[in-house]
């Protein structure tokens, strides 16, 4: 009798995958630093450019542009491989940073954020396609946990460095400095891709069975326009209600075309996965948009100190992702408890609106919230790849990105509308945190539907 010895699966840092893993992590580190840096610097940017009225749009505008890019990048990656959309996205990301860093007005700054968001949408969905093409399926949870771990160092030092740069050199260098670091990170990734066996990552997936890319891109542009109008209308007064209604009228039918059938009613399987990703992202990012501004206005914190509050959430996010990536857990249990943790963290953060509550409560709330989204995010990423037929990984990953962006834009628009209507004050911030916490709770109600 012949005994067959099964070789253990290749690890993500094995010789075959080491270079591409390190290259992707290096790029994600810079994305993480930039994301935390923007949140820390935005209160100063808004004041110096006299653009607090466009404060929320500077965040959600990048998401709206990313919505279009993920659709393009996902189908592009399925048909032609992930390499070209990856490098196109990196180039646009850098261009957007340069525009934002040299912006003379808030309008130009928002334009730079749009370009940056478009680039980020392209290369981030390309990374998902790259994971599905390069790594064995059993290693996908570890890959996504390492992606989350790439946020650790930026979380620890990013807000503090950003605060010092803003106070000593000016906020513009927060945006102009990152492109200087993209070059070595891109070189690492380029060398990593060159080390992958020829033909492994560029293999086209065929024509696919879904909507043609030109038509999907058209719907994506309509969705992005609707998202931008929704956000701008939510932040404006008076006629802003008309813009808000027009944005929703464009956004909703576009999402019906872009997302898998049944997504807006949380149908079983992939549709629920996309809904949960949107709820998790929308409530966390929607809750954090005004947190640094609230801490600087209501509690008198410096930009550096306000940014450091976000550190706890990012570290907890990385820790939770690392834990769920080590071994299999009950996914439905994770997806039910994660949104509850997000809601609890938001409510803890809300308490710091009151002067008698220590600011440490906001830091602790960020930790609880980070544990929630850190456990949910990689679980949903793995589920998307598992529920995708061969050749549809990019399109389904793009759908997840579109849903995430749409939910986040709508949440930020709702929060921005409350602030625009009632003014930036303690009770208003409290209402916004409570609103997003209630939205997070809805995630646990549909988690059981992830099973197809």
């Amino acid at each position: 009798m012949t005994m067959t010895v099964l070789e253990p699966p290749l690890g993500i840092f094995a010789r075959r995958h080491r270079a591409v893993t390190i290259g992707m992590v290096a790029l994600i580190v810079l994305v993480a630093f930039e994301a935390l840096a923007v949140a820390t610097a935005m209160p100063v940017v808004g004041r110096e450019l006299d653009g607090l009225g466009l404060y929320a749009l500077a965040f959600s505008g990048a998401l709206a542009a990313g919505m279009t890019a993920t659709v393009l990048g996902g189908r592009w990656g399925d048909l032609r491989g992930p390499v070209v959309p990856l490098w196109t996205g990196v180039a646009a990301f850098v261009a957007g940073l340069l525009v934002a860093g040299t912006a003379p007005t808030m309008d130009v700054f928002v334009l730079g954020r749009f370009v940056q968001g478009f680039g980020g949408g392209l290369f981030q969905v390309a990374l998902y396609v790259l994971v599905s093409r390069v790594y064995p399926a059993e290693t996908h949870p570890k890959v996504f946990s390492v992606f989350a771990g790439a946020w650790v160092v930026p979380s620890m030092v990013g807000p503090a460095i950003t605060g010092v740069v803003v106070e000593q050199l000016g906020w513009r260098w927060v945006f102009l400095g990152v492109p200087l670091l993209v070059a070595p990170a891109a070189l690492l990734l380029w060398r990593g891709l060159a080390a992958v066996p020829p033909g492994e990552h560029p293999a086209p997936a065929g024509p696919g069975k879904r909507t043609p890319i030109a038509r999907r891109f058209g719907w994506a542009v309509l969705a992005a326009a609707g998202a931008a109008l929704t956000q701008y209308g939510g932040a404006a007064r008076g006629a802003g209600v008309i813009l808000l209604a027009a944005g929703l009228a464009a956004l909703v039918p576009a999402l019906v075309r872009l997302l898998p059938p049944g997504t807006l009613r949380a149908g079983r399987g992939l549709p629920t996965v996309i809904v949960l990703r949107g709820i998790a992202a929308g409530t966390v990012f929607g809750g954090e948009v005004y947190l640094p501004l609230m801490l600087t206005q209501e509690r008198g914190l410096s930009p550096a100190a306000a940014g450091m509050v976000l550190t706890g959430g990012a570290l907890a996010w990385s820790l939770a992702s690392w834990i769920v990536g080590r071994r299999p857990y009950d996914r439905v249990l994770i997806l039910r408890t994660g949104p509850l943790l997000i809601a609890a963290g938001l409510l803890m953060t809300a308490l710091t609106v009151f002067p008698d509550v220590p600011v440490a409560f906001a830091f602790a709330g960020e930790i609880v919230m980070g544990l929630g989204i850190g456990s949910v995010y990689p679980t949903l990423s793995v589920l998307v790849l598992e529920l995708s037929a061969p050749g549809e990984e990019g399109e389904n990953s793009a759908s997840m990105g579109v849903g995430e962006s749409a939910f986040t834009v709508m949440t930020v628009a709702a929060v921005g509308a409350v602030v625009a209507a009632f003014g930036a004050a303690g009770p208003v911030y409290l209402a916004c945190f409570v609103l997003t916490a209630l939205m997070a709770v809805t995630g646990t109600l549909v988690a059981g539907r992830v099973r197809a």
Side-chain angles (χ1 to χ4, degrees), residues 22-28 30 87 181-190:
I22 294 174
M24 287 194 294
V25 168
L27 191 59
I28 291 173
L30 290 178
W87 296 125
L181 301 175
V182 169
L187 177 61
L188 280 173
L189 183 54
W190 177 77

Side-chain angles (χ1 to χ4, degrees), residues 22-46:
I22 294 174
M24 287 194 294
V25 168
L27 191 59
I28 291 173
V29 165
L30 290 178
V31 173
F33 176 82
E34 187 276 335
L36 292 166
V38 169
T40 303
M42 272 308 299
V44 177
V45 176

Side-chain angles (χ1 to χ4, degrees), residues 65-384:
M67 190 184 305
T68 305
T70 52
V71 171
L72 176 62
R75 199 71 186 111
W76 193 358
D78 280 341
L79 292 173
R80 303 298 180 188
V83 176
V84 177
L86 171 67
W87 296 125
T88 303
V90 170
F93 182 76
V94 171
L97 286 170
L98 295 175
V99 172
T102 57
T105 65
M106 193 67 171
D107 292 329
V108 177
F109 179 84
V110 170
L111 174 63
R113 293 284 293 157
F114 264 75
V115 176
Q116 180 186 340
F118 188 87
L122 274 181
F123 80 72
Q124 289 187 65
V125 75
L127 291 181
Y128 275 85
V129 180
L130 199 61
V131 169
S132 69
R133 300 283 177 86
V134 172
Y135 298 91
E138 60 269 22
T139 67
H140 290 172
K142 292 184 178 180
V143 175
F144 292 121
S145 68
V146 168
F147 281 6
W151 285 69
V152 172
V153 173
S155 301
M156 295 175 65
V157 303
I161 292 176
T162 302
V164 171
V165 170
V166 169
E167 294 169 5
Q168 301 298 323
L169 301 177
W171 63 265
R172 295 184 184 277
W173 282 103
V174 172
F175 298 91
L176 297 177
V178 173
L180 299 176
L181 301 175
V182 169
L187 177 61
L188 280 173
L189 183 54
W190 177 77
R191 294 185 62 182
L193 292 174
V196 175
E200 186 169 347
H201 59 76
K209 297 181 290 185
R210 295 190 179 180
T211 308
I213 186 171
R215 192 180 303 172
R216 280 183 60 82
F217 186 70
W219 284 112
V221 171
L222 180 62
L229 284 174
T230 300
Q231 179 56 65
Y232 193 81
R237 296 183 180 181
V241 176
I242 299 176
L243 296 176
L244 179 62
L248 290 175
L251 180 60
V252 173
L255 290 179
V256 171
R257 300 283 185 168
L258 290 171
L259 302 179
T263 296
L264 297 185
R265 55 179 174 81
R268 288 191 177 276
L270 183 63
T272 293
V273 171
I274 292 173
V275 168
L276 284 171
R277 182 67 167 245
I279 290 174
T283 52
V284 169
F285 298 141
E288 286 184 340
V289 163
Y290 284 99
L291 179 58
L293 186 62
M294 184 273 286
L295 292 174
T296 55
Q297 285 187 344
E298 301 295 318
R299 303 305 300 267
L301 269 63
S302 67
M308 285 298 293
V309 172
L310 302 178
T311 299
L315 290 175
W317 184 333
S318 301
L319 174 63
S321 297
W322 177 76
I323 291 173
V324 299
R326 293 195 66 189
R327 66 182 181 86
Y329 291 91
D330 186 333
R331 289 172 175 172
V332 174
L333 179 62
I334 290 175
L335 297 179
R336 280 178 172 157
T337 57
L340 292 178
L341 289 173
I342 293 172
L346 285 166
L347 293 176
M348 291 175 66
T349 302
L351 293 176
T352 56
V353 169
F354 301 105
D356 294 335
V357 176
V359 174
F361 263 71
F363 188 84
E366 280 286 314
I367 291 176
V368 174
M369 190 162 45
L371 292 174
I373 194 169
S375 60
V376 166
Y377 241 61
T379 302
L380 295 173
S381 298
V382 173
L383 281 170
V384 164

